[in-house]
Amino acid sequence: MKQQLPQRLRVSPRSAAYLVVLVGVLRAASCEPLVAKCNPGDSEVYCQCVTKSPRGGNTVSIKCDFENKEAVVLNKELFNFRNSSLVSAYVRMVNATSVHVTKEFLQEWMQAPSAALDIWRGGNLTLESMPPLDSYDKHASYRTFAGVGIVSCNVPEVPTMFLRDRTRGGFRIKTSTVGSFRKGVLHNMKQMRYLVLEDTVVEAVDGSVATEGFVTLSRREVHSWTGLILSNVTIHRVGEGAFNLTHQSDMETAEVTNSYLGTVETGALIAAGDISVTIKGNYFQRLEKAAFQVDVTGEVKFDENVIASWAPDALEGLMCHNRTTLERNTVRVDTPHQVALNESSTPFHTSCGNPQIFLVITPSHPLAVQVTTVSTWVLAALLIILLLATLSMYIWRSQEGITRYYNRGRFPIILNGRKSSQENLPNNAEINVPAQEATEEGITNTLYTNEES
Ligand SMILES: *[C@@H]1O[C@H](CO)[C@@H](O)[C@H](O)[C@H]1NC(C)=O
Ligand SMILES: *[C@@H]1O[C@H](CO)[C@@H](O)[C@H](O)[C@H]1NC(C)=O
Ligand SMILES: *[C@@H]1O[C@H](CO)[C@@H](O)[C@H](O)[C@H]1NC(C)=O
Ligand SMILES: *[C@@H]1O[C@H](CO)[C@@H](O)[C@H](O)[C@H]1NC(C)=O
Ligand SMILES: *[C@@H]1O[C@H](CO)[C@@H](O)[C@H](O)[C@H]1NC(C)=O
Ligand SMILES: *[C@@H]1O[C@H](CO)[C@@H](O)[C@H](O)[C@H]1NC(C)=O
Ligand SMILES: *[C@@H]1O[C@H](CO)[C@@H](O)[C@H](O)[C@H]1NC(C)=O
């Protein structure tokens, strides 16, 4: 049952390029959580701590696999490298039944200018806020980095100031369930390489994810992900000003794809400057006033979304330009006339011209309607007639000099209108049925490469 305690390798630090310490863990009492440690212990061996001293400076890597047997606490006993002049630290905790990441641990871990923490299959994951670094001044001039990756955990709360005081950072959560993503999870992070939520269910993003009220993206092609990515997520509430993005120098990216967003409050996604924005294949339960405020030089794609309910000015902040697509979106309206005869009641900004929206499903139970039912087709047929009427109005208006980039002629628009009600409605709504449990799916590509530039 027990593994044998591996031999500890002793290497004189001077001659050594590598110092390998295989590590055990000490248990205070059998029912208490395990304190993960980087010292040789006398019981089960779960962790491997490797320090290296290559030319670039000292590094440490701590990898633990708890074999689904242990509830684990990370505190300063795990990370005792204060005097080691580390340049980078990598900590990975895998297969624990629960993990508690204490502020004492975070404070020690952040002593390394480049610090990365991965927690995979960590069961219930408790995260604490990070206190200010006690040696912050020493590091202030460094090009520091901190990255956190959470895969397949149940995280009741991502607390405020969980990541702080770095020149660059990254944060990724995959196949997890999250309760509250608090306001100001990021504090004094000068640039973010990536901020990613994938295949994850989040109860609420309470407000701006950064205490400063905005996030500066900066690009570096280390991973297959970069910028803001919300992909296949369910977020029941995206609070006011949640993701307010700006950019450093390169063209950055923001993507919201294949997701279910419940209430999307004012300024939930704000993007300005050199950013490409893709909002595609989502279901929005409710868009509040100016939910998206996108005024960027990069491409803007707002395609194949379903909007169940929207404030009249919900998309007034989504500015279109000549590299914008608005394809096959579906918007629920209570009566076809409302939209078809009155263009000012469409949710889009006038810079977006005549978007190829629509439509129409019954007012009361939009998701219950099968697209192939007779009533839908009756409505769709009605709509086509109404759209024809609308088109003549648009054409007439464009002769007045109103520019409409997306008016591609009658028939494609009508066909798109039909296709959109056919393709989008039931399917998209059901892709993102909230999963209560993180799945045990394979983990790919989650390794961090520490930043050294
Ligand atoms: C680190 O070094 C300081 C003095 O530089 C010393 O007081 C302290 O005990 C050392 N800590 C450890 C853990 O070695
Ligand atoms: C963790 O557990 C899973 C299945 O329980 C196993 O496949 C995997 O090898 C374990 N270790 C790591 C590092 O994922
Ligand atoms: C995780 O927390 C939930 C409540 O938040 C609890 O019901 C469950 O038993 C916990 N699981 C573990 C493995 O501790
Ligand atoms: C989307 O995320 C859910 C978990 O929320 C997962 O079960 C599902 O497999 C994911 N779908 C895809 C296509 O990755
Ligand atoms: C978004 O961030 C910009 C700075 O990039 C700031 O000027 C603006 O006030 C912020 N908007 C909101 C709603 O917080
Ligand atoms: C798009 O508009 C910009 C100015 O807003 C112009 O420089 C560019 O040439 C235009 N591109 C196309 C393909 O029309
Ligand atoms: C068109 O819609 C707007 C806003 O929804 C409303 O104020 C206006 O009265 C409507 N016009 C007509 C002719 O119905």
Side-chain angles (χ1 to χ4, degrees), residues 100 117 134 272 360 389 438 440 442:
H100 182 174
L117 171 65
D134 48 16
V360 171
E440 281 283 304

Side-chain angles (χ1 to χ4, degrees), residues 71 97-98 123-125 154 156:
T97 57
S98 71
N124 285 351
L125 172 58
N154 171 31

Side-chain angles (χ1 to χ4, degrees), residues 113-287:
S114 178
L117 171 65
D118 273 341
I119 299 175
W120 299 345
R121 304 180 196 211
N124 285 351
L125 172 58
T126 308
L127 303 174
E128 292 185 5
S129 296
M130 191 181 293
L133 204 59
D134 48 16
S135 56
Y136 181 60
D137 291 344
K138 189 178 102 190
H139 282 319
S141 61
Y142 283 39
R143 304 183 74 182
T144 53
F145 173 82
V148 173
I150 294 170
V151 178
S152 298
C153 294
N154 171 31
V155 193
E157 180 188 25
V158 183
T160 204
M161 296 194 201
F162 176 60
L163 268 188
R164 63 184 293 166
D165 302 328
R166 296 266 130 163
T167 49
R168 285 184 295 258
F171 193 18
R172 179 173 187 243
I173 300 181
K174 187 176 155 70
T175 52
S176 294
T177 52
V178 176
S180 282
F181 201 98
R182 294 289 181 208
K183 256 188 196 173
V185 164
L186 309 175
H187 172 68
N188 190 27
M189 299 295 288
K190 300 272 186 301
Q191 304 167 19
M192 287 299 281
R193 298 299 202 196
Y194 53 89
L195 181 55
V196 178
L197 295 174
E198 271 179 299
D199 306 339
T200 286
V201 179
V202 180
E203 203 49 51
V205 178
D206 287 345
S208 174
V209 297
T211 54
E212 294 79 13
F214 63 92
V215 173
T216 304
L217 298 176
S218 74
R219 172 172 289 267
R220 184 165 188 244
E221 307 292 349
V222 177
H223 307 286
S224 60
W225 54 87
T226 180
L228 174 75
I229 299 177
L230 305 180
S231 169
N232 184 32
V233 293
T234 295
I235 307 180
H236 292 292
R237 185 171 69 86
V238 189
E240 203 168 321
F243 301 99
N244 181 2
L245 308 177
T246 173
H247 64 104
Q248 187 65 22
S249 51
D250 297 323
M251 182 65 74
E252 306 297 336
T253 53
E255 293 172 23
V256 182
T257 54
N258 302 323
S259 291
Y260 171 99
L261 303 188
T263 304
V264 184
E265 295 182 3
T266 300
L269 176 66
I270 303 175
D274 295 342
I275 303 179
S276 289
V277 178
T278 301
I279 300 174
K280 181 170 177 183
N282 304 291
Y283 182 93
F284 302 116
Q285 183 60 45
R286 170 75 188 170
L287 296 184

Side-chain angles (χ1 to χ4, degrees), residues 267 269-271 288-296 300 312-320 347-352:
L269 176 66
I270 303 175
E288 298 295 355
K289 178 185 167 69
F292 302 116
Q293 297 169 26
V294 175
D295 190 0
V296 293
V300 177
D313 32 19
L315 293 175
E316 67 172 21
L318 183 76
M319 311 305 271
C320 294
F348 293 98
H349 186 263
T350 51
S351 67
C352 300

